[in-house]
C-alpha cells in the first residue's frame, strides 16, 4: 500500500513541472486526494460495503471536484492533472501510467447493464475535455486529443481527435506522452487542404484549356 502511495506522489513530479515539494503535493493536489480517496472507497466496494464506499466517493467529489465511482478499477501511477470536472464511471478499467486532464469523462452511453464504461490500457493520455463513452477499449500508448468524443475502440499507438473521434495510427511507434496539442493531427483541416489543392489544380487546367482555345482561334484566323 505504501509503495502505491509513494508512486502516486512520484508520478506527479514526473508529469507536472509545477510540483516543487512533497509537502505541497500531498496538501494541495486535488487529483492526488481524489485517487487516494478512491483507493479507500474501492477497498470498501470490493468487500460489498457499498454505502460506505459511495459516501467516501461523494465526500471526495465535494472537496476535489473529481467524481470517481468506487467500483472503477485504477492501476498504478495514475495521474489526474488539475482534475476539476473529471468523471470516471463504475465499470471503467484504467491501466498503469495513465494521465487524464480536467473535464475528462470516462462514461457510459445509456442505461445498459454490465460493462458499460471504457477500458483504458497502459500509458494512455486523455487530454482536456475529452469524452470517452461506452464499453470500448483505448489501446496502449494512445493519446486522446482535447475536446474529442470517442465512441469506438482505439487501436494501440494511436492518436484520436475530433467529434466524433477519428483515429490516426502512428505506425506502431509509441506516442509521446505530453500535451503538445500543436502536434495533434486535424483530419478536417487535412481534408480542406486536399480540397484546396484539388481546386487549384482544376483552375490551372481550366486556364491552360482557355489559353489553348485562344491560340487555336488565332491560328484559324
Amino acid at each position: 500500500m505504501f509503495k502505491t502511495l509513494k508512486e502516486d506522489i512520484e508520478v506527479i513530479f514526473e508529469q507536472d513541472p509545477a510540483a516543487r515539494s512533497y509537502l505541497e503535493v500531498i496538501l494541495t493536489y486535488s487529483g492526488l486526494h481524489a485517487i487516494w480517496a478512491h483507493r479507500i472507497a474501492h477497498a470498501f466496494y470490493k468487500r460489498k460495503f457499498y454505502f460506505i464506499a459511495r459516501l467516501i466517493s461523494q465526500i471526495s467529489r465535494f472537496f476535489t471536484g473529481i467524481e470517481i465511482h468506487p467500483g472503477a478499477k485504477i492501476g498504478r501511477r495514475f495521474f489526474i492533472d488539475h482534475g476539476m470536472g473529471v468523471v470516471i464511471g463504475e465499470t471503467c478499467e484504467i491501466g498503469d501510467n495513465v494521465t487524464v486532464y480536467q473535464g475528462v469523462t470516462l462514461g457510459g452511453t445509456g442505461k445498459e447493464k454490465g460493462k458499460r464504461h471504457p477500458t483504458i490500457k497502459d500509458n494512455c493520455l486523455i487530454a482536456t475535455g475529452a469524452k470517452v463513452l461506452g464499453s470500448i477499449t483505448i489501446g496502449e500508448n494512445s493519446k486522446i486529443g482535447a475536446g474529442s468524443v470517442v465512441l469506438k475502440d482505439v487501436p494501440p499507438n494511436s492518436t484520436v481527435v475530433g467529434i466524433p473521434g477519428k483515429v490516426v495510427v502512428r505506425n506502431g511507434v509509441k506516442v509521446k506522452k505530453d500535451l503538445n496539442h500543436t502536434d495533434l493531427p486535424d483530419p478536417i483541416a487535412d481534408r480542406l487542404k486536399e480540397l484546396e489543392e484539388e481546386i487549384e489544380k482544376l483552375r490551372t487546367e481550366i486556364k491552360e484549356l482557355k489559353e489553348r482555345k485562344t491560340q487555336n482561334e488565332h491560328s484559324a484566323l
Side-chain angles (χ1 to χ4, degrees):
M1 180 183 70
F2 290 106
K3 180 182 178 181
T4 300
L5 297 180
K6 183 180 179 182
E7 286 180 338
D8 290 336
I9 296 173
E10 289 176 345
V11 73
I12 292 176
F13 284 101
E14 293 176 10
Q15 297 291 334
D16 188 359
R20 293 180 176 84
S21 69
Y22 279 94
L23 184 63
E24 177 187 15
V25 168
I26 293 171
L27 295 180
T28 67
Y29 274 65
S30 59
L32 180 64
H33 302 157
I35 292 169
W36 282 355
H38 170 73
R39 299 202 189 283
I40 297 171
H42 186 65
F44 280 105
Y45 188 88
K46 289 193 298 183
R47 291 165 177 78
K48 299 184 178 181
F49 292 104
Y50 299 126
F51 174 76
I52 296 176
R54 287 305 300 268
L55 182 63
I56 292 171
S57 70
Q58 289 302 299
I59 293 173
S60 173
R61 176 179 180 270
F62 178 81
F63 284 105
T64 66
I66 299 168
E67 182 172 350
I68 308 176
H69 193 285
K73 298 177 182 178
I74 297 178
R76 297 168 48 207
R77 300 170 61 80
F78 180 52
F79 176 48
I80 302 175
D81 194 11
H82 298 291
M84 180 61 70
V86 168
V87 177
I88 300 175
E90 178 183 13
T91 61
C92 188
E93 298 179 20
I94 300 175
D96 298 334
N97 299 304
V98 172
T99 298
V100 302
Y101 289 80
Q102 66 270 21
V104 167
T105 298
L106 305 179
T109 57
K111 296 183 179 180
E112 65 271 21
K113 300 293 184 180
K115 183 73 168 73
R116 59 190 186 279
H117 298 104
T119 296
I120 313 298
K121 296 292 188 177
D122 297 347
N123 305 312
C124 287
L125 181 146
I126 306 178
T128 304
K131 313 300 177 187
V132 184
L133 307 176
S135 182
I136 61 176
T137 299
I138 309 300
E140 293 88 349
N141 309 314
S142 291
K143 180 190 293 184
I144 310 299
S148 300
V149 178
V150 185
L151 303 173
K152 296 180 180 179
D153 290 344
V154 174
N157 307 306
S158 300
T159 297
V160 175
V161 295
I163 303 173
K166 298 182 183 296
V167 177
V168 178
V169 179
R170 292 294 185 90
N171 298 319
V173 178
K174 183 177 179 180
V175 175
K176 188 177 180 181
K177 192 174 182 182
D178 58 25
L179 196 62
N180 183 10
H181 296 299
T182 59
D183 187 41
L184 293 175
D186 188 339
I188 297 176
D190 291 343
R191 184 56 181 161
L192 289 174
K193 185 177 180 181
E194 290 176 5
L195 290 172
E196 288 177 358
E197 291 175 352
E198 191 70 24
I199 291 170
E200 189 61 33
K201 182 179 178 181
L202 290 171
R203 285 175 176 170
T204 301
E205 291 178 357
I206 292 171
K207 182 179 179 181
E208 290 176 353
L209 288 172
K210 286 182 177 180
E211 289 176 351
R212 288 178 187 175
K213 182 180 178 181
T214 303
Q215 290 175 0
N216 291 335
E217 289 176 349
H218 289 164
S219 297
L221 294 174

